[in-house]
Amino acid sequence: MRSALLVLLGLCAACSSREQATDSGVRCAAISVGAEIALPAGRMVRGAARFEPEERDGGEGSVGAFGIDAHEVTNQQFAVFVAATNYVTLAERPGPDGIPFGAAVFDRRTGQWRMEGGANWRYPEGAGSSVAERGRHPVVAVAYEDAEAYARWAGRRLPTEDEWEWAARGPLPAPTDISAEAWDQNGRPVANTWQGVFPFRDSAEDGFAGLAPVGCFPANASGLHDMIGNAWEWTATPFDNAVINDVTRGGVIEARVLKGGSNLCARNFCSRFRSGSRQPGDPMLGMSHVGFRTVADR
């Protein structure tokens, strides 16, 4: 049995160029899939708003100029990469027993996590699920090396933690109101999170119970969508010397910093719907609420 860091972090069909309404009635922005936002060099400072023990680390540093994906990499984009390269994700590869490694899936019916051999980016919730009608949803259930492989193919790379946080907030310190980046001043959701009591009931006041297509929530000041909520995002930064003992797939490996929170973050659990939040991710494990975006030096 492998020892995995299962932290409870807690193709909408290829959309046209026009704004679209989802089944929930939420109107998704008319964004161009694959768009990039150019950001200047600068110095990022998280400030005093550090709500969790792990947030004592990171949150300050200089970054060079870079370009970053305006949204999380989508199923549609990842499918193009797979078709061009015949790439097989970690979750799809057979383990020592011949059974695919699979991915960690959160079951909203039971409120529990499970490892499922049939879960991967094509079937992110396991058997019976599919991305066939979710081309503009973020790709999830991808391990760190899968995200790296996509980035290399695209001539890009994964962001560092400092770059990601700079893209999310720029030179401003993190808000001292723990909810300020996920709800507006009138209490309306501006990010895809869990409304209600986790894990028992998601009232979906934001229009979604689960992942949302990219562009369904307002962009931040730099024009980036879903930096908060929807899916946690891989970064290239090791997590504070945290290691995972994975005997079946490489021995001791470094955890990586995940940023931004996900659709499973609720006020009563996680509360990491913030640019300053950070979590360790097992780089050998795909999860149904973890995706990524890429950057390029400028």
Side-chain angles (χ1 to χ4, degrees):
M1 297 292 289
R2 67 186 296 273
S3 174
L5 183 65
L6 280 174
V7 181
L8 289 186
L9 308 171
L11 277 143
C12 102
C15 299
S16 74
S17 60
R18 298 185 302 276
E19 186 182 69
Q20 286 199 341
T22 65
D23 291 341
S24 64
V26 174
R27 300 200 68 83
C28 299
I31 63 173
S32 175
V33 173
E36 179 188 80
I37 301 294
L39 297 177
R43 183 167 182 79
M44 185 270 303
V45 179
R46 187 177 298 156
R50 298 171 185 255
F51 296 98
E52 303 291 342
E54 68 272 10
E55 292 166 26
R56 290 193 292 265
D57 297 303
E60 184 170 352
S62 296
V63 297
F66 63 98
I68 184 167
D69 294 335
H71 55 77
E72 293 152 334
V73 172
T74 65
N75 289 315
Q76 180 183 13
Q77 291 174 293
F78 200 78
V80 172
F81 157 63
V82 169
T85 63
N86 294 316
Y87 184 82
V88 178
T89 64
L90 242 63
E92 298 170 283
R93 299 174 201 169
D97 55 4
I99 299 173
F101 282 111
V105 174
F106 180 76
D107 191 330
R108 284 175 169 264
R109 296 167 300 177
T110 65
Q112 296 180 330
W113 285 96
R114 69 177 188 273
M115 279 297 300
E116 183 169 328
N120 55 61
W121 77 272
R122 303 173 196 271
Y123 310 104
E125 288 89 42
S129 68
S130 173
V131 298
E133 299 299 321
R134 291 188 278 181
R136 234 177 86 166
H137 283 62
V139 65
V140 293
V142 285
Y144 179 78
E145 73 175 58
D146 303 327
E148 273 196 315
Y150 174 92
R152 284 195 301 270
W153 170 78
R156 300 170 69 80
R157 59 180 174 82
L158 297 181
T160 66
E161 179 179 11
D162 285 348
E163 288 172 330
W164 191 100
E165 205 161 326
W166 174 256
R169 201 178 56 250
L172 299 175
T176 55
D177 178 353
I178 197 170
S179 299
E181 292 172 288
W183 285 267
D184 67 16
Q185 293 180 341
N186 296 314
R188 291 187 294 260
V190 293
N192 183 17
T193 63
W194 182 292
Q195 292 88 53
V197 179
F198 183 89
F200 305 107
R201 179 177 179 270
D202 183 355
S203 62
E205 293 169 21
D206 59 9
F208 299 95
L211 289 168
V214 298
C216 292
F217 293 86
N220 69 5
S222 295
L224 303 171
H225 291 272
D226 300 313
M227 293 297 285
I228 306 301
N230 214 21
W232 283 95
E233 299 181 18
W234 288 112
T235 75
T237 301
F239 188 90
D240 312 336
N241 299 315
V243 296
I244 296 136
N245 183 24
D246 190 340
V247 176
T248 62
R249 290 194 286 187
V252 175
I253 51 179
E254 288 185 306
R256 298 285 170 167
V257 174
L258 295 170
K259 296 290 288 183
S262 80
N263 65 89
L264 300 184
C265 286
R267 294 181 192 266
N268 74 299
F269 179 84
C270 177
S271 294
R272 288 172 172 83
F273 29 64
R274 296 172 283 104
S275 57
S277 67
R278 58 201 302 271
Q279 281 285 285
D282 180 343
M284 304 296 286
L285 180 66
M287 302 186 78
S288 60
H289 68 336
V290 176
F292 67 100
R293 72 182 75 207
T294 67
V295 300
D297 297 317
R298 291 290 178 260

